[in-house]
């Protein structure tokens, strides 16, 4: 059916690379991928700084989709060496681990590790489990009076829920009560997005934390305290994503998997062109005829025709670069007004763990993958501890490798700072948190990412107008986070690409099944991809 057909894919992140490999595996069609940057993986890339690797945003390889879990396993099998000791360690920490028999194992460096998940909230100078857990530490940190107020507030939310749920504030208060919302959600969320929660669409909560609530947290806490109720399923299908206790992780960070995918695509005959942005989408009526790309090395432009186009680039850029039939003014106005949140990671290398800091427990490093920072007056949103993602991310095992995450807008004060100023600012905040001491810092680096998070506010309220217009282009398929202006996880982005390929193979013109990804209640096993 696809004999002699061509497919152009724009963007070499998880969605674009998944689409390319799926086309090669299922059709034999040669995909041509254009990527504007010098590296594959999008926001899931791994940045290598002097042998110390940065995972931008932190990527847990976990999905309730068997299709995705198997796909990852095909690219990077589980590491077999040390599996038995890993199991013992999990049992020692009261964690159950059972490996699904369909996983294969490998001894080389191209492997997945099994990692324990732990993240906490740092609030009022104390650590709280995330998600919140009703344990001795929480009771001690909050105090009886605050806990009672939280309970009363939650009961009130159950009896008198906010309806309709219009804003993210409505969504969170309905599930946690006003007291817990203001204590643990409001400030951090507004730090992430830069706007009040009552101005963010409830759709963000429905997509990111749709199954999380006080009820789910308490139920999970009860099961976790009773070994006979614990899930024996490694894939943890019956557990909310925010509550999972373990996950897969590439030994050298998420970029390792996507670099391996890119290698496979090239080995199978596909093309990937880096440093080659699309500068024009040549449209006629309801068809994309071709794209014009710019080779940054030669500064030459070339036109590439294709039968199908798969795009994961930001919709703002896509619509702006349409060249042919004019885009309706309303569509163009909404698309160009869509807002994004940009991202800065400051990597800070520490010589050794300092027993006088709060990252030390009995002289050893805390177990957290990341720590949410809720302290008033500090701009840092999260602190990643890359040692706990994978020891291989740190060149010298004696060092501590941290990533401070800042959520910004391109052009604001922090973004416009010189790298040297940002480093100094970040290290100062680490000291205020009592996480490190200046004398222990031996190196640092700044990594900036534009359009990291699509915004669910402002022009987004009219996004359906843009969606309907773009869906009318029969041979254009939007996939991924920025391609759909949707805060998708990595697995969701991959599933959108798989469905786009399915539609191309089967001649499906309706794009609804792609937009349904991450809105479905159950995607444990997605058939008819």
């Amino acid at each position: 059916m696809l004999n002699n057909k061509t497919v152009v894919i724009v963007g070499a992140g998880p969605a674009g690379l998944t689409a390319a490999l799926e086309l090669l595996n299922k059709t034999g069609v040669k995909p041509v991928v254009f990527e504007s940057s010098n590296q594959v993986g999008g926001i899931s890339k791994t940045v290598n700084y002097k042998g110390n690797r940065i995972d931008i945003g932190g990527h847990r390889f976990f999905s309730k989709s068997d299709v995705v879990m198997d796909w990852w396993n095909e690219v990077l099998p589980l590491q077999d060496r040390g599996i038995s000791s890993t199991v013992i360690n999990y049992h020692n920490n009261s964690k159950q681990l059972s490996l699904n028999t369909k996983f294969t194992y490998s001894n080389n460096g191209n492997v997945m590790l099994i990692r324990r998940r732990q993240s906490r909230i740092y609030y009022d100078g104390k650590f709280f489990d995330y998600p919140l857990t009703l344990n001795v530490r929480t009771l001690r940190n909050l105090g009886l009076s605050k806990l009672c107020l939280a309970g009363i507030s939650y009961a009130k939310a159950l009896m008198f829920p906010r309806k309709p749920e219009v804003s993210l504030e409505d969504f969170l208060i309905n599930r946690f009560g006003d007291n817990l919302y203001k204590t643990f959600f409001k400030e951090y969320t507004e730090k992430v997005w830069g706007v009040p929660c009552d101005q963010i669409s409830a759709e963000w909560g429905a997509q990111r934390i749709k199954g999380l609530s006080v009820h789910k947290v308490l139920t999970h806490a009860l099961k976790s305290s009773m070994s006979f109720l614990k899930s024996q399923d490694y894939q943890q299908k019956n557990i909310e994503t925010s509550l999972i206790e373990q996950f897969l992780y590439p030994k050298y960070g998420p970029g390792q998997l996507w670099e391996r995918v890119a290698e496979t695509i090239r080995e199978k005959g596909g093309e990937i062109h880096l440093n080659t942005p699309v500068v024009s989408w040549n449209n006629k009526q309801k068809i994309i005829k071709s794209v014009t790309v710019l080779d940054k090395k030669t500064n030459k432009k070339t036109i590439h025709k294709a039968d199908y186009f798969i795009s994961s680039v930001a919709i703002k850029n896509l619509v702006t670069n349409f060249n042919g039939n004019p885009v309706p003014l309303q569509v163009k106005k909404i698309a160009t007004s869509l807002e994004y949140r940009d991202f800065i990671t400051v990597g800070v290398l520490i010589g050794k763990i300092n027993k006088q800091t709060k990252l030390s427990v009995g002289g050893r490093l805390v177990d957290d993958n990341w720590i949410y920072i809720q302290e008033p007056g500090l701009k840092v949103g999260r602190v990643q501890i890359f040692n706990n993602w994978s020891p291989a991310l740190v060149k010298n095992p004696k060092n501590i490798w941290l990533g401070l995450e800042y959520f910004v807008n391109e052009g604001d004060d922090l973004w416009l700072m010189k790298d040297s100023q940002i480093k100094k600012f970040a290290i100062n905040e680490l000291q205020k948190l009592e996480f490190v001491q200046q004398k222990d810092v031996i190196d640092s680096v700044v990594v900036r990412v534009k359009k990291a998070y699509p915004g669910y506010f402002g022009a987004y309220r009219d996004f359906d107008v843009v969606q309907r217009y773009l869906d009318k282009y029969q041979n254009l398929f939007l996939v991924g986070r920025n391609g759909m202006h949707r805060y998708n996880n990595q697995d969701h982005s991959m599933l959108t690409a798989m469905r786009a390929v399915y539609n191309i193979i089967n001649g499906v013109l309706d794009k609804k099944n792609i937009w349904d990804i991450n809105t479905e209640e159950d995607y444990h096993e997605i058939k008819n991809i």
Side-chain angles (χ1 to χ4, degrees), residues 386-450:
F386 294 121
N387 305 63
N388 295 335
W389 286 90
S390 168
L393 297 184
V394 191
K395 183 178 181 180
N396 184 341
K398 295 181 180 179
N399 294 157
I400 309 302
W401 183 223
L402 305 176
L404 281 76
E405 299 180 348
Y406 292 91
F407 308 95
V408 297
N409 288 330
E410 183 182 355
D412 69 13
D413 291 343
L414 189 60
W415 183 272
L416 293 175
M417 282 186 184
K418 296 179 180 178
D419 283 2
S420 59
Q421 294 173 307
I422 294 177
K423 292 176 187 177
K424 184 177 180 180
F425 181 85
I427 293 168
N428 183 52
E429 293 211 316
L430 276 177
Q431 291 182 95
K432 289 180 179 178
L433 288 166
E434 299 181 57
F435 282 9
V436 304
Q437 294 182 0
Q438 176 69 52
K439 65 183 178 64
D440 298 320
V441 177
I442 58 177
D443 203 355
S444 57
V445 67
V446 175
V447 178
R448 304 169 192 253
V449 177
K450 296 180 181 179

Side-chain angles (χ1 to χ4, degrees), residues 7-27:
V7 180
V8 161
I9 299 171
V10 184
L17 293 180
T18 298
L21 190 53
E22 287 287 289
L23 282 166
L24 286 165
N25 288 340
K26 294 181 177 179
T27 69

Side-chain angles (χ1 to χ4, degrees), residues 157-406:
L158 289 178
M159 292 186 290
F160 307 104
R162 292 189 174 194
K163 291 185 178 181
E165 284 185 350
V166 176
S167 69
L168 182 58
E169 181 173 272
D170 299 334
F171 180 94
L172 291 170
I173 288 177
N174 282 349
R175 284 155 184 78
F176 296 94
D178 185 70
N179 186 279
L180 286 177
Y181 158 69
K182 289 179 177 176
T183 302
F184 292 109
F185 292 95
K186 185 176 187 296
E187 183 168 340
Y188 176 79
T189 305
E190 292 180 355
K191 184 187 294 186
V192 171
W193 293 108
V195 297
C197 288
D198 62 5
Q199 295 180 24
I200 302 173
S201 170
E203 188 176 342
W204 182 88
Q207 290 178 6
R208 295 297 295 184
I209 52 175
K210 57 188 173 188
L212 191 61
S213 66
V214 168
H215 171 71
K216 284 290 179 85
V217 169
L218 292 177
T219 301
H220 181 72
L222 177 62
K223 288 184 177 181
S224 294
S225 66
M226 303 171 70
S227 60
F228 64 91
L229 287 177
K230 284 185 179 181
S231 171
Q232 300 297 314
D233 179 10
Y234 170 72
Q235 296 196 18
Q236 307 164 99
K237 290 183 179 181
N238 297 319
I239 301 176
E240 293 301 328
T241 301
S242 297
L243 299 174
I244 63 168
E245 297 178 344
Q246 57 214 15
F247 57 91
L248 300 178
Y249 193 74
K251 183 175 181 177
Y252 294 103
Q256 180 185 11
L257 180 133
W258 296 112
E259 288 159 12
R260 181 69 193 112
V261 171
E263 290 173 7
T264 304
I265 290 169
R266 292 187 175 110
E267 289 167 1
K268 289 177 176 284
E271 295 181 15
I272 300 176
H273 300 273
L274 302 178
N275 294 306
T276 310
V278 170
V279 294
S280 177
W281 293 78
N282 308 309
N283 63 314
K284 186 175 183 181
Q285 296 177 342
K286 298 305 176 187
I287 297 291
I288 303 295
K289 304 294 288 186
S290 63
V291 292
T292 303
V293 303
L294 171 67
D295 186 327
K296 290 181 181 179
K297 291 183 179 180
T298 63
N299 205 33
K300 290 183 178 180
K301 294 181 181 180
T302 55
I303 296 175
H304 294 263
K305 296 181 179 180
D307 299 285
Y308 301 96
F309 295 84
I310 297 175
S311 173
S312 64
V313 300
I315 284 180
K316 175 184 286 191
N317 296 348
L318 172 69
V319 172
T320 300
N321 290 326
F322 265 27
N323 179 32
N325 294 123
V327 177
L329 290 178
Q330 183 189 22
V331 172
K332 194 167 187 176
K333 181 179 179 181
I334 296 168
T336 54
S337 299
L338 290 173
E339 299 184 56
Y340 301 81
R341 198 69 164 147
D342 306 293
F343 195 63
I344 295 175
T345 299
V346 184
V348 178
L349 189 65
I350 311 301
K352 62 180 180 179
I353 188 65
N354 188 319
K355 295 180 181 179
Q356 306 303 315
T357 67
K358 292 186 176 180
L359 292 186
S360 171
V361 179
R364 67 172 180 82
L365 183 65
V366 295
D367 295 327
D368 302 79
N369 307 116
W370 64 49
I371 299 169
Y372 295 91
I373 306 302
Q374 305 248 127
E375 291 292 84
L378 296 180
K379 288 187 176 294
V380 61
R382 289 189 308 196
V383 176
Q384 301 274 0
I385 304 176
F386 294 121
N387 305 63
N388 295 335
W389 286 90
S390 168
L393 297 184
V394 191
K395 183 178 181 180
N396 184 341
K398 295 181 180 179
N399 294 157
I400 309 302
W401 183 223
L402 305 176
L404 281 76
E405 299 180 348
Y406 292 91

Side-chain angles (χ1 to χ4, degrees), residues 5 11 40 61 78 91-92 154 234 294 337 350 443 478 505:
K5 300 289 185 181
V40 301
F61 282 70
L78 280 177
H91 284 298
N92 286 343
Y154 177 58
Y234 170 72
L294 171 67
S337 299
I350 311 301
D443 203 355
L478 306 183
I505 294 173

